[in-house]
Amino acid sequence: MRVPLSWLREYVELAADATPEDVLDALVTVGFEEEDVHRFEITGPVVVGQVVSLEPEPQSNGKTINWCQVDVGEAHGGIRGIVCGAHNFTVGDKVVVTLPGAVLPGPFPIAARKTYGHVSDGMIASARELGLGDEHNGIVVLSDLGIDAPVGADAIALLGLDDVAVEINVTPDRGYAFSLRGVAREYAHATGAAFRDPAERDFAELQPGTGHTTVVDDIAPVRGRVGASEFVTRVVRDVDPSRPTPPWMVARLSLAGMRSLGVLIDITNYVMLELGQPLHGYDLDKLSGGITVRRATPGEKMTTLDGVERALHVEDLLITDESGPIGLAGVMGGGTTEMSDTTRNVLIEAAIFDPTTIARSARRHKLPSEASKRFERGVDPLIPFVAARRVADLMVELAGGTLTEEGGALFAEVFVEEIALPDGFVQGLIGVDYTDEEITGALTTIGAEVSEAESGWTVIPPTWRPDLTDKWTLAEEVARIHGLDRIPSVLPTPPSGRGLTAHQQGRRRVADALAAAGFVETPAFPFTTEAQNDLHGSASGEKLPSIRLANPLDGQAPFLRRSLIPGLLQTAHRNISRGLTDLAIFETGAVFLPEPGVEYGTDEVPPLGVRPSDETLAALDASIPPQRRHIAALLTGHTSPRQPGRPAEDAGLAEALDAVRVIAAAAGVDIDVMQAERAALHPGRTGSLVVDGEEVGYVGELHPVVAEDADIPGRDTVLELDLDRLLTLASGRVVAASLSTFPAATQDVSLTLPAEVPAAEVRAALAEGAGALLESVRLVDDYRGEGVPEGSKSLTFALRFRAEDRTLTAAEATEAKLAGVEVAAQRFGAALRD
């Protein structure tokens, strides 16, 4: 909201030497945010001049210029010769002259310069050149503005160009501050200055008369609230729309961020800024019959003032006459009844519309306006009568109209619900020991009615504060009025027993461990295609149910992901295309796993502002598919670059399995790798990740076709685990193993067995047979060649044995090893290799 200081001074005592910064500082103390200071970008000398002579001179380019002698007063050099291209003035007219040394908006410095064969010693200015509007067809003639000032007078002050405006940010809950009335009241709260309410008028003179009563026919109210609760009309006849808007009004509107559009429209905009009540003027002679406020019908259309034909929604509230829609209520008027240069009789409208209806219409049609901005935040229901009369008075004063007894009023009783404010509540909530006088004084200051109750007070908020709805908002007002600086800066003591859950701690621990191992976390959007869900969401690539979004950000990826791998592939492609070819990236995030045959989603959206019932919440929960948190990683390129005497090392399955071990250690589980197959991974280079016999993920090299489709060159390895299930299987704290003081005994064993037997199963058999003395077993060699029968392979394992209470002998270690070999022989026909 931009607030011209000259305008603010009309409603609140403002010191003569108060700077814009002083005003902003005061408004900040009552909760507003400082935005900017706005001035007319103009400096003098800019004076009143009188045309002494005017000689038209045709030019070779077909243009005719006027060589003028203009008297600017003895103090400014007397008569000066000035070239002017405008023709809307004559000898004797008083005009605005910008003399050399002046700077106009742009910036546009003025200097004496030779043009059209003359030295033009200044410039006769137009309204546009002065920053007073868009009119550029002629220069400013002061008599047309009703101004008669002495020659040589300061035109900057005369036209209000010396005014300045401060801009504040108005939060959505304080819509009353979108008016000079509201800001002046808040400045009075901040400084104690006397405030004069421009809405205080004798109600008898506000009665609109008869003959133009409006009918509200709202058959489908939004949330049960009728679209229009008040509708006041007044009629002003015999207006002259050709009259100029006074410079002081144009200057104020310009500083407030609105351009001048003619005296009739300027008056309605001026009063809206002054009182916070949006208004609209209709050309009375273009209306057909009476006015009806109703909802739009299916398929109905209307053309708004901006010339756009709009398809209406059945929730849109319309102003209509017998011809059809003439306005989109609270948002923008219609083109058929707008005021124009031919308007002679005006019907003034001031209404109160339902905020929800107006907000939805403005957003639906992408048509935010100054009116909708105020209506959707709440307008004082007692102000329409005052605003309509204020517009009528200004049209009589500035446009030469005649106020008639015609008009009408539709209004409902204004009821503001009282609020119980318990004794001690404000002090307990804010943390400041306010006295009872301070509490009641603050609430009275903002316009509330306060009366004593049995255990505190009963408060009736003012009509212009719809945001005051409960004891908490009242407490905030007390704190705001008495200064937020009184609130102590004390950190609250957190209650015991709170903090991260075990799963939250586990997720952080796993992510931190993977990041410490050199991986970079790269979160991606959870959206993908149905084909990607089928490919990566199952082992076989079969068709799976996916959740399609009703309003996707990307129409080409409208489905919620079943796997994290597609996002990692997109991230890898983006980095590789920018020259970053060595990647080790990971993501933790939710995947969405709808169950076959179950319908998800709902068309029933609970209303805003009302807490849904338990049944509604349960239905919403049931409409959401299961969401599991996964962790996935991708490696591509080199793990170490080429160096002198050493080739680059490619990332592969070994590095991916190391990442699996890092995740397992951080989660507190043991993960076994079993040979498997997946549609998206390379055959023979894919492993299933298993915990206690349950599959929790997979690891493997990306299938070359899949890598090519993703535009990722080289050999790429991926892994993905169900992190939620992994942490559930951990089922306890991660406990660090104690360090043994006894030495380990190491032995190797080489087994010959059929080539199709997975090494992981052989390793498990060795561990099972060796018993408690076996500390670790690791595959170190897989040989297939000379000395090994065809169709067989030789697996070599490194075994480490250790006892907790003694040093093992070689015989004990050998006995344990052979026990493991015996189990492998029984299960797979394994034999010790010579």
Side-chain angles (χ1 to χ4, degrees), residues 189-209:
H189 295 165
T191 62
F195 167 67
R196 184 186 71 80
D197 190 351
E200 285 188 358
R201 299 189 62 163
D202 184 0
F203 191 72
E205 67 180 5
L206 302 179
Q207 298 304 309

Side-chain angles (χ1 to χ4, degrees), residues 221-572:
V222 176
R223 297 188 191 170
R225 298 184 60 175
V226 176
S229 56
E230 293 186 42
F231 203 99
V232 179
T233 57
R234 300 203 75 125
V235 174
V236 178
R237 294 188 177 273
D238 301 322
V239 297
D240 181 3
S242 66
R243 286 196 180 186
T245 303
W248 57 267
M249 181 177 284
V250 174
R252 288 180 175 179
L253 289 173
S254 178
L255 282 175
M258 305 186 77
R259 59 192 180 97
S260 177
L261 297 172
V263 64
L264 298 180
I265 298 176
D266 288 349
I267 287 171
T268 59
N269 287 337
Y270 185 84
V271 175
M272 176 183 67
L273 293 172
E274 181 179 66
L275 299 176
Q277 168 68 57
L279 300 115
H280 189 69
Y282 300 91
D283 188 325
L284 182 61
D285 298 324
K286 296 178 182 178
L287 290 174
S288 302
I291 290 179
T292 300
V293 182
R294 61 171 173 81
R295 301 284 173 178
T297 57
E300 195 167 14
K301 297 182 179 181
M302 73 165 291
T303 301
T304 47
L305 283 174
D306 56 1
V308 177
E309 184 180 65
R310 302 184 182 276
L312 302 174
H313 188 274
V314 292
E315 275 191 4
D316 289 333
L317 192 67
L318 303 180
I319 312 298
T320 68
D321 64 2
E322 292 179 358
S323 67
I326 58 174
L328 188 57
V331 180
M332 184 174 285
T336 58
T337 57
E338 67 176 316
M339 296 183 294
S340 65
D341 294 340
T342 62
T343 298
R344 291 295 175 266
N345 304 305
V346 177
L347 178 73
I348 303 164
E349 166 214 308
I352 297 295
F353 297 118
D354 172 44
T356 302
T357 294
I358 303 307
R360 289 185 179 181
S361 289
R363 286 157 180 74
R364 183 181 299 117
H365 295 285
K366 297 180 176 61
L367 195 61
S369 64
E370 291 294 329
S372 66
K373 181 167 65 176
R374 287 163 173 81
F375 277 126
E376 64 189 40
R377 288 165 172 80
V379 174
D380 184 358
L382 299 183
I383 207 70
F385 288 87
V386 179
R389 178 57 189 261
R390 174 70 166 146
V391 170
D393 290 344
L394 287 175
M395 286 188 176
V396 171
E397 177 185 351
L398 304 179
T402 301
L403 179 61
T404 70
E405 294 298 321
E406 300 173 77
L410 170 72
F411 59 93
E413 181 180 359
V414 177
F415 174 76
V416 180
E417 189 172 354
E418 62 183 24
I419 302 170
L421 182 61
D423 187 21
F425 175 78
V426 175
Q427 296 91 330
L429 181 67
I430 305 300
V432 177
D433 291 330
Y434 298 111
T435 65
D436 290 352
E437 291 73 18
E438 285 179 317
I439 294 173
T440 57
L443 297 177
T444 303
T445 296
I446 65 172
E449 297 180 16
V450 183
S451 57
E452 291 188 6
E454 183 177 349
S455 57
W457 300 274
T458 297
V459 181
I460 301 178
T463 55
W464 58 85
R465 294 297 302 273
D467 57 308
L468 301 181
T469 57
D470 49 43
K471 58 185 178 181
W472 289 275
T473 52
L474 294 179
E476 290 174 357
E477 286 299 296
V478 174
R480 186 175 68 87
I481 295 300
H482 287 298
L484 301 177
D485 56 324
R486 289 184 60 179
I487 302 176
S489 299
V490 179
L491 291 175
T493 302
S496 60
R498 300 291 178 89
L500 299 178
T501 65
H503 271 222
Q504 289 171 332
Q505 292 175 346
R507 289 198 292 266
R508 288 195 178 187
R509 191 168 58 248
V510 169
D512 290 345
L514 209 53
F519 286 74
V520 177
E521 187 169 12
T522 57
F525 287 119
F527 313 122
T528 187
T529 64
E530 191 172 24
Q532 289 290 312
N533 268 345
D534 294 342
L535 178 62
H536 296 283
S538 70
S540 61
E542 63 186 273
K543 181 74 174 178
L544 293 172
S546 296
I547 296 296
R548 184 186 182 96
L549 296 173
N551 55 343
L553 291 176
D554 183 356
Q556 295 181 341
F559 291 90
L560 291 174
R561 64 190 179 190
R562 295 183 62 98
S563 168
L564 301 182
I565 299 300
L568 291 176
L569 294 178
Q570 289 182 358
T571 302

Side-chain angles (χ1 to χ4, degrees), residues 33 144 216 218 230 271 340 390 402 404 408 435 443 488 606 613 643 653 718 722 760 780:
E33 295 180 8
D144 292 343
V216 176
D218 188 358
E230 293 186 42
V271 175
S340 65
R390 174 70 166 146
T402 301
T404 70
T435 65
L443 297 177
S613 65
Q643 303 176 41
L653 272 174
V718 297
D722 185 339
V780 295

Side-chain angles (χ1 to χ4, degrees), residues 1 3 175-184 272-277 374:
M1 175 68 185
V3 184
Y176 66 93
F178 277 120
S179 67
L180 268 294
R181 180 195 185 204
V183 175
M272 176 183 67
L273 293 172
E274 181 179 66
L275 299 176
Q277 168 68 57
R374 287 163 173 81

